[in-house]
Amino acid sequence: MTFLGMPTAPRGVGQLRQEAPFPVAAARALDDSQLRRNLGHATSTIRAKRAAAVAEVPDWQELRAAGAAIKDEVLAHLDRYLLQLEEQVTARGGTVHWAGDANEANRIVTGLIRATGQRHVVKVKSMATQEIGLNEALAAAGIEATETDLAELIVQLGHDRPSHILVPAIHRNRNQIRDIFLREMPDAPAQLSDEPAALTAAARAHLRRKFLTAQVAISGANFAIAETGTLAVVESEGNGRMCLTLPRTLITVMGIEKILPAWRDLEVFLQLLPRSSTAERMNPYTSMWAGAVEGQDFHLVLLDNGRTATLADPRGRAALRCIRCSACLNVCPVYERTGGHAYGSVYPGPIGAVLSPQLTGVADNPDLPFASTLCGACFDVCPVAIDIPSMLVHLRSRVVDDKLAHHRGPTPEAAAMRGLAWTMSDPHRWTWALRAGRAGRLLGRRYDRIRHLPGPLAAWTSSRDLPRPPRQTFRDWWKAERSQ
Amino acid sequence: MSSREEMLARIHAATADITGLPDVPRRYQPAGRGPGSADEALVSLFEERASDYQATVRRCAEAEVAQVIADAVAARGAGRIGVPRGFPALWSALLPGPVFDDPPLDVAALDALDGVVTTCAVAIAETGTIVLDTGPGQGSRAFTLVPDYHLAVVRTGQIVAAVPDAVAALNPVRPLTWISGPSATSDIELSRVEGVHGPRTLDIVIVAD
């Protein structure tokens, strides 16, 4: 199935695409023992904490069902809710901008900053602005953007890429972070220790002046209430409050799926999100504002960038329910070992494996739907009940269909499957093929299993052994038994 | 066609197949399930949950508030304390160095304070959260953000049971700040550090109604 007329996220901008095939990138990550240690520690810690935070809530499954249904309602009538949000934000003094893709969003934000005459902005951690590569676009326009979330700052100063939705520097340990600070932070104390408290204090001192003098801030949004025009940002460190409150101009870039219909719906999501993401009863700070408040200029940029293409697939659209809690990353046996960078996109892990290929079109992220064991742990923990395993299977078929549509003649896979179908559809052919398979015994002579298949079949044995075929096929054995 | 029209048209086309969505099942605990206001169990739960976040919680009677606030501030070694408009004069009477936020202090002046005292709009027992809505006695959003120390006074009658009760009690078009303990980060090896950019210390005084 293709979705004509639905543009996906454009190439050449932002961070949604694999640079290397997943197996290659994953193998590279697995070679890094430091990374595996950091990830193993972090994911197991947060898994246990989340389980405890969720177990405390007797009506968790009911909240989850409501969360899923509210998001489905939003997606079904997204046009209506967006117009309502626009009306409410505008009525309260804000300005709403519509961005069809990453390039347009970057253009809009750059233009808004230029209009203020500022060359420096502070940023709250935001997946949407990473997705569209806003910092790079601003740098190209001569505007310096400072990430203010501690982990994002570590990533930015380390000239690195985030590897987790919630804790983007999860791949770094304290020693590595101290080294980055000493190298990149001119005001870091020379005797800086690697204690997390000392590193945090250094970041506080480094960012404080920027906060108090910044004139423009850029944020994302966790929720936007169509009914009232209220936006919400959920955070822990207070950098969000600093950015949302102190600068004169606030620009919020938000994916169009972040909407909730009514104010009341927050009663569901403010329970689901903190416990799923940081495993807390409530995160330290949540800021909410409707339109331009306390004398600020407020701009809201509504971002599509492949979301309508995702919405067009009835079996894939539920990925847009995602509230970016990252619980699915922490339980995923694949993510736990490879980390986020192997996925190429800012959305790693199970949700990334279903979201990134839909935002870009499956042709641009063809490996990601296969980067899973389909164990289903992600579905169990998802606070909005996204059936990620079924969606992965569906996207696998889309990848195959897409390859067929763009391949001249049948693909090797398709040819093999067609040959198999021909063989299996006739009992004589099948019996003959099974007997012929015994020739494979020769290949397994040495180790009593086949380690390398010849020719195009070698791909199958590149990462697994094949059992050595038995001397006698089952059919021959059956015949021999019966004749006795 | 503008991007706005284009996006709306795409959404319209993308959702054309969706019909007859069931109503949202709200079988979770709704607002109003908890005990009545000022219920002792609720107050104790709030006290326990707020303390879990390393906020220091004190309880007192109305007549003792000024003394409890003065003692708490002294224990933090804080001298210059910002007092917002609408904060009860009786409560700030014993502060050694009150700085009144009237006219509102600018960021530099806030940065020079040791801390602030405020009231709040509502408090949530289950999560140990206080919510400010910039109403009387609460100051602007910056007022409770820039100084390093925040003392919030909560009346027992303001404590609600759970998140749905707070959502029902709040006005969605006011600027809201939900605060659960002092600022914190777990960004380095997931080990929790209290005190990042927001106030590094949060004290809560619960006043019996």
Side-chain angles (χ1 to χ4, degrees):
Chain A
M1 199 179 345
T2 53
F3 303 100
L4 296 171
M6 294 291 173
T8 50
R11 291 180 186 166
V13 60
Q15 186 61 63
L16 280 174
R17 287 173 169 79
Q18 306 172 274
E19 276 157 19
F22 184 81
V24 174
R28 213 181 294 146
L30 290 173
D31 274 343
D32 184 343
S33 57
Q34 178 73 60
L35 175 70
R36 286 212 314 275
R37 243 194 321 274
N38 293 359
L39 280 169
H41 168 67
T43 51
S44 59
T45 307
I46 200 161
R47 271 203 304 271
K49 276 188 173 169
R50 181 210 152 268
V54 165
E56 206 180 89
V57 183
D59 54 344
W60 184 257
Q61 292 306 334
E62 287 76 17
L63 286 166
R64 201 170 166 245
I70 292 167
K71 279 292 185 182
D72 283 350
E73 163 65 23
V74 169
L75 296 177
H77 305 289
L78 189 55
D79 44 359
R80 196 200 326 151
Y81 288 125
L82 282 169
L83 289 171
Q84 195 184 2
L85 178 71
E86 179 187 47
E87 187 190 313
Q88 287 295 319
V89 170
T90 309
R92 299 184 202 294
T95 310
V96 177
H97 309 262
W98 300 66
D101 63 26
N103 289 316
E104 191 174 10
N106 289 337
R107 250 194 330 269
I108 291 169
V109 176
T110 306
L112 289 170
I113 297 169
R114 281 207 168 127
T116 67
Q118 297 292 317
R119 323 273 308 164
H120 181 253
V121 299
V122 286
K123 277 189 72 201
V124 192
K125 175 174 152 37
S126 132
M127 298 308 299
T129 59
Q130 280 172 27
E131 171 192 325
I132 62 176
L134 179 63
N135 290 4
E136 292 74 13
L138 292 180
I143 298 165
E144 184 200 0
T146 303
E147 293 289 353
T148 63
D149 171 76
L150 178 55
E152 292 289 358
L153 180 70
I154 294 166
V155 168
Q156 189 177 42
L157 292 176
H159 310 289
D160 196 359
R161 287 197 291 121
S163 67
H164 189 281
I165 290 176
L166 179 73
V167 270
I170 201 169
H171 57 291
R172 297 285 195 189
N173 66 16
R174 57 183 73 192
N175 282 309
Q176 296 170 316
I177 294 167
R178 183 194 49 197
D179 292 347
I180 292 170
F181 279 12
L182 286 175
R183 198 173 61 233
E184 303 282 338
M185 217 187 248
D187 46 2
Q191 301 306 314
L192 185 62
S193 86
D194 65 359
E195 277 304 307
L199 295 168
T200 304
R204 175 185 163 99
H206 174 70
L207 289 173
R208 181 109 182 140
R209 228 189 71 74
K210 294 188 194 249
F211 282 136
L212 300 190
T213 56
Q215 295 295 309
V216 182
I218 298 169
S219 83
N222 292 96
F223 307 107
I225 313 297
E227 176 190 39
T228 59
T230 311
L231 289 157
V233 165
V234 170
E235 53 129 358
S236 299
E237 296 172 6
N239 65 309
R241 289 179 69 192
M242 288 279 182
C243 293
L244 299 168
T245 309
L246 300 184
R248 200 185 139 60
T249 303
L250 172 62
I251 304 166
T252 298
V253 182
M254 176 191 111
I256 49 176
E257 82 283 16
K258 292 276 148 190
I259 289 192
L260 299 178
W263 169 248
R264 185 193 167 183
D265 296 325
L266 276 178
E267 72 186 22
V268 175
F269 288 91
L270 287 181
Q271 298 192 69
L272 290 174
L273 180 56
R275 291 183 194 260
S276 296
S277 74
T278 51
E280 293 168 298
R281 293 188 184 113
M282 191 58 87
N283 51 290
Y285 295 139
T286 298
S287 297
M288 300 180 190
W289 72 100
V293 295
E294 293 187 331
Q296 278 181 320
D297 288 329
F298 174 58
H299 295 272
L300 177 62
V301 182
L302 301 171
L303 175 72
D304 182 340
N305 207 37
R307 284 164 177 76
T308 46
T310 308
L311 187 61
D313 182 348
R315 295 168 69 186
R317 64 167 64 110
L320 295 175
R321 288 182 195 159
C322 176
I323 55 173
R324 312 283 188 261
C325 74
S326 69
C328 63
L329 277 57
N330 303 322
V331 299
C332 178
V334 177
Y335 177 88
E336 185 180 2
R337 284 162 184 83
T338 66
H341 290 163
Y343 294 80
S345 162
V346 294
Y347 305 114
I351 187 62
V354 293
L355 194 56
S356 309
Q358 296 200 83
L359 293 175
T360 61
V362 292
D364 281 11
N365 275 309
D367 303 326
L368 291 187
F370 298 88
S372 166
T373 63
L374 302 179
C375 77
C378 48
F379 184 20
D380 289 344
V381 296
C382 178
V384 286
I386 303 171
D387 183 355
I388 295 175
S390 299
M391 207 177 285
L392 284 165
V393 172
H394 165 65
L395 291 173
R396 287 177 184 188
S397 78
R398 270 184 64 187
V399 170
V400 172
D401 290 346
D402 180 78
K403 272 191 190 151
L404 276 178
H406 293 96
H407 202 273
R408 240 179 261 198
T411 62
E413 257 173 317
M417 287 300 165
R418 219 167 286 165
L420 198 60
W422 180 79
T423 310
M424 292 177 84
S425 60
D426 177 284
H428 298 292
R429 286 202 287 264
W430 182 233
T431 307
W432 171 83
L434 287 175
R435 284 192 189 139
R438 282 180 304 175
R441 283 187 62 74
L442 282 173
L443 291 168
R445 216 165 24 190
R446 181 128 176 236
Y447 301 98
D448 201 35
R449 58 186 191 276
I450 300 173
R451 308 233 304 191
H452 302 289
L453 282 169
L457 299 173
W460 180 262
T461 46
S462 69
S463 58
R464 53 174 98 64
D465 290 344
L466 200 64
R468 192 180 184 194
R471 276 173 215 287
Q472 197 177 24
T473 69
F474 176 79
R475 285 167 179 239
D476 288 342
W477 172 85
W478 182 255
K479 213 187 245 167
E481 282 291 294
R482 292 256 304 237
S483 65
Q484 276 173 12
Chain B
M1 200 157 50
S2 73
S3 289
R4 180 176 183 273
E5 270 63 56
E6 217 169 276
M7 282 162 66
L8 289 169
R10 279 185 225 156
I11 292 166
H12 190 75
T15 54
D17 65 298
I18 305 176
T19 49
L21 218 54
D23 286 345
V24 172
R26 294 189 192 265
R27 289 186 296 266
Y28 56 87
Q29 304 273 14
R33 72 178 146 119
S37 61
D39 181 276
E40 174 52 32
L42 211 58
V43 179
S44 306
L45 182 62
F46 172 71
E47 185 181 4
E48 175 207 316
R49 294 287 159 91
S51 306
D52 268 4
Y53 291 126
Q54 314 302 322
T56 304
V57 187
R58 296 173 176 80
R59 292 178 64 169
C60 68
E62 172 84 44
E64 304 161 336
V65 180
Q67 191 59 53
V68 169
I69 290 179
D71 291 348
V73 166
R76 298 291 177 192
R80 291 167 50 79
I81 297 295
V83 180
R85 271 188 280 193
F87 191 81
L90 281 174
W91 292 0
S92 61
L94 299 179
L95 283 174
V99 180
F100 292 95
D101 185 40
D102 193 6
L105 303 167
D106 64 15
V107 170
L110 289 174
D111 195 29
L113 294 177
D114 292 328
V116 294
V117 291
T118 70
T119 61
C120 72
V122 67
I124 309 170
E126 192 173 272
T127 59
T129 304
I130 58 171
V131 187
L132 307 187
D133 70 357
T134 71
Q138 298 171 46
S140 66
R141 293 180 298 169
F143 183 77
T144 47
L145 173 64
V146 176
D148 204 12
Y149 168 66
H150 180 195
L151 183 150
V153 184
V154 179
R155 293 184 159 281
T156 50
Q158 291 180 303
I159 302 173
V160 299
V163 171
D165 304 281
V167 170
L170 289 164
N171 180 347
V173 299
R174 297 192 65 89
L176 300 175
T177 307
W178 298 49
I179 300 173
S180 309
S183 63
T185 185
S186 302
D187 277 350
I188 300 171
E189 298 183 6
L190 286 183
S191 76
R192 188 174 167 96
V193 176
E194 311 279 348
V196 195
H197 304 297
R200 284 185 280 192
T201 311
L202 176 67
D203 283 349
I204 294 175
V205 175
I206 303 173
V207 184
D209 263 338

